[in-house]
Amino acid sequence: MLEEQVFQEPTGGGSLSRDLWNSKKSNFYHGCSISTEEFPTAEVNTLANRYLLIATSGGLNQQRTGIIDAVVAAHILNAILVIPKLDQQSYWKDSSNFSEIFDVNWFISYLSKDVKIIKDLPRMGDKLITPHTTRVPRKCNAECYQTRIQPILNKKHAVQLTKFDYRLSNHLDMELQKLRCRVNYHALKFTDPIIEMGRKLVERIRKKSKHFLALHLRFESDMLAFSGCYYGGGEKERRELGKIRKRWKTLHARSPDKERKNGKCLLTPEEVGLMLRALGFGNDVHIYIASGEIYGGEETLAPLKDFFPNFYTKETLASKEELAPFSSFSSRMAALDFIVCDESDVFVSNNNGNMARMLAGRRRYFGHKPTIRPNAKKLYKLFMDRNNMTWGEFASHVQKHQIGFMGDPMEVNPGRGEFHENPSACICEDTNVKAREDVTIPHSPAMHFEEGIDSAADGTRRSFGKVIDGRIIEDEQDWFDTDYMENEVGGIQSSGGARIFIKGVQHMKK
């Protein structure tokens, strides 16, 4: 007689004792990045004939970090920023320039009070200025820029910094952190064609369902190969991923079992489905998948589609003709994915890479919409032992392990983690609202919080950036981040984007 199977996941959800579509206490917090009167304006801060140029690196979100930090670096150096050059030489060979992805005029105009920005390097007399090319270390702080770059800038008048990504420290004065937020969340806006296509994708999902979940699956072959993990595909998988893995000449061999135990492996599509079902998402939930070509194709995706048959991608929501202006440009396609993920009611990241971190920070800033990160280290044992427990036991453990990984306010200690993921210096608490906990403020999926004034006279708003000796206290850890490797080895897709439905946001005043 066959032993009765005790692990049988239900088709319905609703087991989680919380609102699946909203973050707890999100109405107590909002994004705030207005500068104080003490922050010097561009008119006062900028020196004549000092030009900073940067060459970004990697995929779109990796380049986005470079653009953000370039504005801050220009302010530190009292320099005029020339519109950044985007990476056109990486594996994806995207020929797009800045103005083909971002609204360049809005970028210049919005930041005009902070940093002077020009489109091209001017002539000095009859001659073109030839910039001096150099590179700064990763995580270089303000003093580092002033020591290493300022003397060169004073002598050469123009400096170009190459491979400019993660070249600015997380440890910055709070005013500079807020400048980062003004660039990231307000100044960097996609061009109208990208925004309009992104809006169409979101609207088409919302016509089918009031709420939807977006998943950055990140289950492409290059990503799996780089991880050094094993995903159950037998000798064929080991052979195929091993061949791809040889692209990284300096990549050390890893123990797949050890990597998984340490939470360094991606969840498989089936495991993602199990986690989401255990959290309470039923088979009636509509799900959007942001991803490149999935390793194993439809066979790999089949378990996830069984969990969530209402399953969408860019390609299923739009025709080839509609996507034609974007499909030959990886950054523009990545931008569309970012837009849909940004506007989703719940976002799930399967890897804490550039896109996931950017989205996590953005969703915190614009209202703490739920952002789920799998607690892979704790979930590993559950997935291994799931056939030795009932579904109820499994779901209970998943829910317990995911506490602190759901995107709620104050989930990450202020000042901890990578700044773009946790922009604590730009998150303010409204203590008056918090004092009236019995008053419920509705949370809308498309809600945008107007910028408040930090440390208001009545004490009702306070920022969470901890400043000690002028430095934000944050972890400066190196992440398991394959996107960072892209420009050196190729083959790792990166994505990025900006918020759509920008009415009421792009006209914010600083």
Side-chain angles (χ1 to χ4, degrees):
M1 182 176 178
L2 291 175
E3 185 177 346
E4 183 180 355
Q5 184 178 1
V6 295
F7 186 87
Q8 182 62 51
E9 67 275 5
T11 57
S15 61
L16 189 59
S17 59
R18 59 171 287 164
D19 183 351
L20 292 171
W21 303 108
N22 294 293
S23 293
K24 294 184 295 183
K25 301 183 179 179
S26 60
N27 52 297
F28 300 154
Y29 305 92
H30 63 278
C32 54
S33 57
I34 299 175
S35 61
T36 65
E37 293 182 357
E38 287 72 32
F39 190 66
T41 64
E43 184 178 2
V44 173
N45 190 64
T46 308
L47 296 176
N49 297 323
R50 302 290 190 278
Y51 301 99
L52 178 67
L53 301 87
I54 68 156
T56 61
S57 179
L60 188 60
N61 269 289
Q62 194 168 325
Q63 294 184 74
R64 190 183 183 99
T65 64
I67 294 167
I68 295 164
D69 290 349
V71 174
V72 180
H75 186 90
I76 292 170
L77 295 168
N78 312 110
I80 299 166
L81 178 66
V82 180
I83 286 293
K85 294 180 181 179
L86 301 189
D87 184 356
Q88 299 174 337
Q89 303 300 319
S90 64
Y91 176 85
W92 297 100
K93 298 291 190 294
D94 190 323
S95 61
S96 302
N97 60 37
F98 188 101
S99 63
E100 291 172 312
I101 296 178
F102 300 107
D103 186 333
V104 65
N105 292 326
W106 171 256
F107 181 75
I108 293 172
S109 173
Y110 190 90
L111 294 169
S112 60
K113 292 182 180 179
D114 294 312
V115 173
K116 184 176 180 181
I117 304 173
I118 59 177
K119 294 182 180 179
D120 298 294
L121 195 61
R123 290 177 175 271
M124 188 171 286
D126 294 331
K127 297 181 179 180
L128 283 172
I129 302 174
T130 303
H132 176 85
T133 300
T134 187
R135 187 184 298 178
V136 292
R138 292 194 81 194
K139 304 174 183 178
C140 190
N141 61 20
E143 183 181 359
C144 169
Y145 275 89
Q146 291 165 346
T147 302
R148 290 172 176 262
I149 306 301
Q150 194 91 58
I152 302 173
L153 193 60
N154 291 339
K155 182 178 180 180
K156 301 290 187 179
H157 299 289
V159 172
Q160 176 166 293
L161 303 178
T162 61
K163 199 170 176 54
F164 197 82
D165 58 324
Y166 299 106
R167 301 289 162 178
L168 186 62
S169 173
N170 278 336
H171 294 178
L172 295 175
D173 177 86
M174 189 182 295
E175 288 289 353
L176 294 178
Q177 299 287 43
K178 287 182 179 293
L179 176 55
R180 259 180 168 161
C181 293
R182 292 196 292 277
V183 181
N184 194 7
Y185 304 129
H186 301 291
L188 275 176
K189 181 173 76 71
F190 278 146
T191 60
D192 288 343
I194 294 175
I195 290 174
E196 289 303 316
M197 190 66 242
R199 178 181 287 120
K200 287 180 182 178
L201 296 176
V202 173
E203 289 176 346
R204 287 170 188 176
I205 300 177
R206 293 216 180 273
K207 284 181 180 179
K208 302 173 187 292
S209 177
K210 180 181 178 181
H211 299 293
F212 77 95
L213 178 152
L215 167 64
H216 189 214
L217 193 55
R218 213 63 175 89
F219 211 73
E220 298 96 355
S221 58
D222 287 37
M223 182 69 193
L224 304 188
F226 183 85
S227 73
C229 300
Y230 174 66
Y231 298 93
E235 185 57 35
K236 181 174 181 290
E237 176 190 310
R238 290 188 176 94
R239 184 176 63 255
E240 290 176 346
L241 298 186
K243 184 177 180 181
I244 297 172
R245 193 171 168 80
K246 292 178 181 178
R247 294 177 183 174
W248 293 281
K249 304 297 184 183
T250 59
L251 197 59
H252 299 296
R254 297 187 177 115
S255 164
D257 290 339
K258 185 177 180 181
E259 292 299 294
R260 188 167 292 278
K261 287 178 181 178
N262 288 332
K264 296 296 183 68
C265 298
L266 293 163
L267 270 58
T268 66
E270 180 183 21
E271 290 169 342
V272 172
L274 283 167
M275 177 192 71
L276 292 175
R277 182 69 89 246
L279 289 174
F281 294 95
N283 65 354
D284 58 338
V285 168
H286 290 243
I287 182 169
Y288 177 89
I289 302 298
S291 182
E293 185 176 349
I294 302 299
Y295 179 71
E298 286 301 314
E299 184 178 352
T300 301
L301 281 174
L304 182 60
K305 287 187 174 181
D306 287 342
F307 281 112
F308 303 102
N310 299 303
F311 189 97
Y312 311 105
T313 63
K314 294 185 297 296
E315 291 76 14
T316 64
L317 290 169
S319 67
K320 287 185 177 180
E321 290 73 22
E322 288 177 306
L323 292 176
F326 314 96
S327 57
S328 297
F329 304 93
S330 62
S331 291
R332 299 179 208 185
M333 291 290 275
L336 297 180
D337 272 342
F338 191 102
I339 286 172
V340 180
C341 291
D342 191 25
E343 288 296 329
S344 66
D345 301 279
V346 174
F347 171 63
V348 183
S349 63
N350 196 22
N351 167 258
N352 200 33
N354 288 308
M355 177 173 171
R357 290 197 294 269
M358 280 290 186
L359 271 166
R362 188 173 184 85
R363 290 170 71 87
R364 284 188 172 102
Y365 186 87
F366 285 109
H368 285 89
K369 291 193 296 181
T371 302
I372 300 173
R373 295 177 295 122
N375 186 352
K377 191 171 183 177
K378 293 288 184 69
L379 293 177
Y380 157 74
K381 291 183 179 179
L382 276 182
F383 292 133
M384 294 290 290
D385 298 338
R386 68 178 186 261
N387 290 324
N388 297 322
M389 65 184 79
T390 66
W391 171 259
E393 291 170 333
F394 175 82
S396 177
H397 287 307
V398 169
Q399 292 169 22
K400 179 181 178 181
H401 293 330
Q402 283 300 121
I403 294 173
F405 290 79
M406 302 293 285
D408 291 327
M410 304 304 292
E411 196 175 68
V412 182
N413 290 333
R416 305 282 295 183
E418 196 271 330
F419 182 76
H420 295 303
E421 181 180 5
N422 185 33
S424 56
C426 306
I427 304 296
C428 291
E429 178 184 15
D430 193 323
T431 54
N432 281 346
V433 173
K434 196 169 185 179
R436 303 191 303 270
E437 290 195 23
D438 57 318
V439 179
T440 302
I441 298 178
H443 177 79
S444 166
M447 181 184 292
H448 290 218
F449 289 78
E450 293 291 338
E451 291 188 272
I453 300 175
D454 302 340
S455 303
D458 60 5
T460 58
R461 296 188 179 102
R462 61 188 179 93
S463 172
F464 289 102
K466 294 183 178 178
V467 180
I468 298 177
D469 295 330
R471 297 178 69 178
I472 302 294
I473 303 303
E474 301 181 30
D475 283 340
E476 284 280 17
Q477 78 274 26
D478 285 310
W479 322 284
F480 175 67
D481 184 3
T482 57
D483 289 348
Y484 182 73
M485 301 290 291
E486 176 187 357
N487 199 42
E488 295 180 0
V489 298
I492 301 296
Q493 185 177 10
S494 185
S495 12
R499 170 166 298 264
I500 66 169
F501 305 145
I502 53 176
K503 185 178 180 181
V505 173
Q506 69 176 25
H507 299 296
M508 282 183 176
K509 302 297 184 184
K510 291 187 288 178

